[in-house]
Amino acid sequence: QQFKGMPPAFIFVPQWYIDKYGTKMKLQPLLVPVHKGETSYRKILLKTKDPDKNFAESVSITLAMTSMGPDSDTMLKNDLFPLHGVPADKINPIIVPKDFDALFALALGQVDMALVVKNNLDQITSLNPNILRTVRPLAESQPIPMPVLCYVEGVATSEHIEEIKALFINGKAKKKRSTIMEMLQINEWQVITN
């Protein structure tokens, strides 16, 4: 609704959003972020180290995770759970704002499982190694495309598009954007060619 009321010239969205709404919203992929040479990332499914927890006998299994869009159930059921003895139909997703929240909820025993970005898990581990003493990895997802910077047809002008490319690719504002890039775990940007 916000998009329809006043569409932006540029928008940073996950790949699932482009797949689902890209044509309708006139989104044109422009730049994809790169982290350590990769334009995708993986999520790690974690469970508690509690040896008494038997997922096969559980009526409901709580899973803390950030939203992965309206079709996230399909990815969870087809990709992560069947191969690891976790009955996907028993999963009760609890959407949290950040991976850190999901991991802390698991470490504190508030949920049975957590799904977090692998890079975030590494970062959390370096900050607080004690967290991993209570959890263990169960599975790793297939590669998930990084979010994409798109322009909106009819709103972004060709001059704006070239300015954004120059800003992000040529590094005209590299010092100014380095802190933001570090927070987003982005090393560089890559132009998307159709």
Side-chain angles (χ1 to χ4, degrees):
Q1 289 177 345
Q2 289 177 329
F3 193 102
K4 287 178 183 175
M6 189 179 290
F10 299 91
I11 187 167
F12 192 51
V13 292
Q15 185 63 48
W16 67 260
Y17 190 91
I18 298 169
D19 295 342
K20 199 162 187 78
Y21 304 113
T23 304
K24 182 179 177 182
M25 302 295 188
K26 298 182 179 178
L27 300 180
Q28 290 298 322
L30 179 64
L31 300 172
V32 64
V34 179
H35 179 70
K36 296 183 179 177
E38 299 289 332
T39 57
S40 63
Y41 63 96
R42 292 177 185 262
K43 290 204 169 200
I44 303 290
L45 181 65
L46 301 162
K47 68 174 236 163
T48 179
K49 283 186 176 175
D50 181 359
D52 298 328
K53 189 71 176 174
N54 187 341
F55 290 127
E57 295 174 2
S58 298
V59 175
S60 177
I61 301 165
T62 51
L63 169 69
M65 61 181 280
T66 57
S67 175
M68 295 177 65
D71 300 323
S72 60
D73 283 354
T74 305
M75 189 280 284
L76 295 175
K77 289 177 181 176
N78 295 341
D79 185 19
L80 286 175
F81 297 126
L83 300 176
H84 301 281
V86 179
D89 58 331
K90 295 182 180 182
I91 297 298
N92 178 22
I94 297 170
I95 304 301
V96 296
K98 302 180 296 297
D99 278 353
F100 295 96
D101 299 326
L103 186 57
F104 289 135
L106 179 62
L108 295 172
Q110 296 174 331
V111 294
D112 300 312
M113 304 178 94
L115 186 65
V116 301
V117 173
K118 187 176 184 180
N119 293 335
N120 289 343
L121 181 62
D122 295 341
Q123 187 178 11
I124 294 167
T125 303
S126 68
L127 294 173
N128 187 348
N130 293 330
I131 288 179
L132 287 189
R133 290 186 185 155
T134 60
V135 302
R136 76 174 179 90
L138 184 63
E140 187 171 310
S141 75
Q142 295 297 317
I144 300 166
M146 292 280 256
V148 177
L149 180 66
C150 299
Y151 68 88
V152 181
E153 285 181 43
V155 181
T157 65
S158 56
E159 291 82 12
H160 288 144
I161 293 167
E162 290 309 312
E163 283 177 18
I164 287 290
K165 278 190 191 175
L167 179 69
F168 283 70
I169 300 296
N170 299 337
K172 286 186 177 177
K174 193 169 186 174
K175 287 183 182 178
K176 290 180 184 177
R177 65 189 174 97
S178 64
T179 303
I180 296 169
M181 298 256 299
E182 284 173 21
M183 285 172 40
L184 294 173
Q185 296 184 0
I186 298 170
N187 300 118
E188 59 183 308
W189 293 86
Q190 203 174 80
V191 177
I192 297 174
T193 54
N194 295 334

